[in-house]
Amino acid sequence: YNSGSPQKIGLVDGLTAGTRADLYLEPRRVLRQKQQELKPWQYVPKKQLPENLVEKKQFWYGVFYDPVVLLVKHQYARNLGQDKLTTWSDLPQAASCRITMENLTDRDSTREFLAGMASHMGEIEAIQYFRNLKPRITSYGKTPFNSIRMVTVGDADIAVTRRSDVMKYLESDFPAYILQPLEGSPATLYGLALDKAGAQDKAAADFLEWLLTSPEARKILRLQQNGFLPVLDEKGEPADSSKIWLNTSYEDVQALDRLANVWLKEIRF
């Protein structure tokens, strides 16, 4: 962006005390927490974004997202038949399947995964889903790498993980592939927001438009292999928001803690 624009964007990874940024590029959950520090955008995108990918008062716009995916071992898929493993509902029924996943209470992203499932399915249905899945779970890893490694060395057939966690490991000889369930999956949405004290609204709008629509921005996402997916595809069409399951029912820490405790009590132990 900077090479082709008179306005320059400086990236700061963490602000020192007493300083503020003009723009914030953060997960949706972080932007919710700092909403008092933000102001609505005076910006009309060239392409209408799905309603759930924009904050209702326009405090932020979603630009890319990181979905939960299944890392499936090739040999297991060949034995089972790939057509029998395409959705979340297939997992509890998959014959002789060994599944590994992280503890759903260890990280913000795993807690958001649980909350995204519960927001989409309903809490009772989501807890029942994990109860049905439990006989297939062989381990709960402490880090994403633990689950990914178990699939690569043959100790598990499927890992439930983030797309961003696994993309950096994929190479031509990798013994597994990424499956995005057909009906959708929980995702972390990253949005761009304006600081209420900032005075760079025009430059910010230009940068947002570049992030949303520039082929170069999408190319960078792809080449960096960070796993993030843009909310507008290469044809400029919005992603199917019905397949991006956001945490819409557990907005505060107390609600998220309560849900995590239900999972711990009912499923984990």
Side-chain angles (χ1 to χ4, degrees):
Y1 173 81
N2 284 348
S3 64
S5 172
Q7 301 287 344
K8 307 303 180 185
I9 300 294
L11 180 63
V12 178
D13 186 10
L15 296 172
T16 58
T19 61
R20 300 177 72 115
D22 296 300
L23 284 167
Y24 299 98
L25 181 58
E26 303 271 15
R28 177 177 176 270
R29 65 177 178 272
V30 175
L31 296 178
R32 287 203 313 266
Q33 295 167 2
K34 63 173 57 175
Q35 191 155 308
Q36 296 301 316
E37 303 172 27
L38 308 178
K39 64 181 174 182
W41 287 81
Q42 300 299 314
Y43 164 76
V44 178
K46 294 177 182 177
K47 176 68 72 169
Q48 186 66 37
L49 298 179
E51 185 175 292
N52 69 334
L53 302 186
V54 179
E55 200 279 327
K56 61 183 178 181
K57 294 183 180 179
Q58 296 179 303
F59 277 103
W60 49 260
Y61 280 83
V63 290
F64 42 80
Y65 63 101
D66 181 17
V68 174
V69 297
L70 306 179
L71 180 66
V72 184
K73 194 166 182 63
H74 285 302
Q75 187 60 53
Y76 177 77
R78 283 192 289 267
N79 293 340
L80 178 70
Q82 286 189 338
D83 60 324
K84 295 181 180 178
L85 188 62
T86 59
T87 68
W88 287 103
S89 59
D90 290 333
L91 281 184
Q93 312 301 325
S96 303
C97 186
R98 301 167 300 164
I99 300 173
T100 180
M101 62 193 300
E102 288 181 77
N103 272 311
L104 299 189
T105 56
D106 286 353
R107 294 197 298 159
D108 285 341
S109 64
T110 55
R111 287 156 64 88
E112 287 284 314
F113 163 53
L114 177 60
M117 292 287 273
S119 295
H120 179 77
M121 294 180 172
E123 184 173 319
I124 293 175
E125 291 80 2
I127 293 300
Q128 183 59 49
Y129 175 81
F130 285 112
R131 186 176 289 115
N132 294 339
L133 190 63
K134 187 174 181 178
R136 305 293 188 201
I137 303 292
T138 58
S139 68
Y140 293 96
K142 293 184 178 180
T143 68
F145 177 74
N146 288 345
S147 296
I148 294 166
R149 181 181 179 280
M150 287 191 70
V151 172
T152 60
V153 301
D155 290 336
D157 303 305
I158 297 174
V160 180
T161 188
R162 289 273 174 182
R163 197 172 190 271
S164 62
D165 288 328
V166 72
M167 279 296 293
K168 56 190 173 186
Y169 298 110
L170 294 184
E171 297 177 355
S172 58
D173 59 347
F174 199 74
Y177 67 95
I178 287 178
L179 169 65
Q180 292 189 235
L182 292 179
E183 72 270 50
S185 65
T188 296
L189 179 67
Y190 288 78
L192 195 68
L194 287 169
D195 188 274
K196 65 181 180 182
Q200 300 291 333
D201 291 19
K202 175 60 169 63
D206 289 343
F207 183 56
L208 176 57
E209 189 68 37
W210 182 84
L211 280 177
L212 286 172
T213 65
S214 168
E216 185 179 26
R218 286 190 284 272
K219 180 181 178 181
I220 291 169
L221 276 180
R222 185 171 64 252
L223 293 179
Q224 288 292 317
Q225 291 188 301
N226 53 32
F228 298 149
L229 296 172
V231 299
L232 297 178
D233 66 20
E234 293 187 359
K235 296 180 180 179
E237 295 302 317
D240 184 349
S241 62
S242 68
K243 296 184 177 182
I244 302 174
W245 303 349
L246 302 177
N247 169 20
T248 56
S249 301
Y250 306 87
E251 301 280 10
D252 57 50
V253 173
Q254 292 77 15
L256 204 53
D257 285 344
R258 186 194 61 77
L259 177 64
N261 287 332
V262 171
W263 180 81
L264 280 172
K265 179 180 177 182
E266 300 289 332
I267 308 301
R268 183 67 177 89
F269 298 114

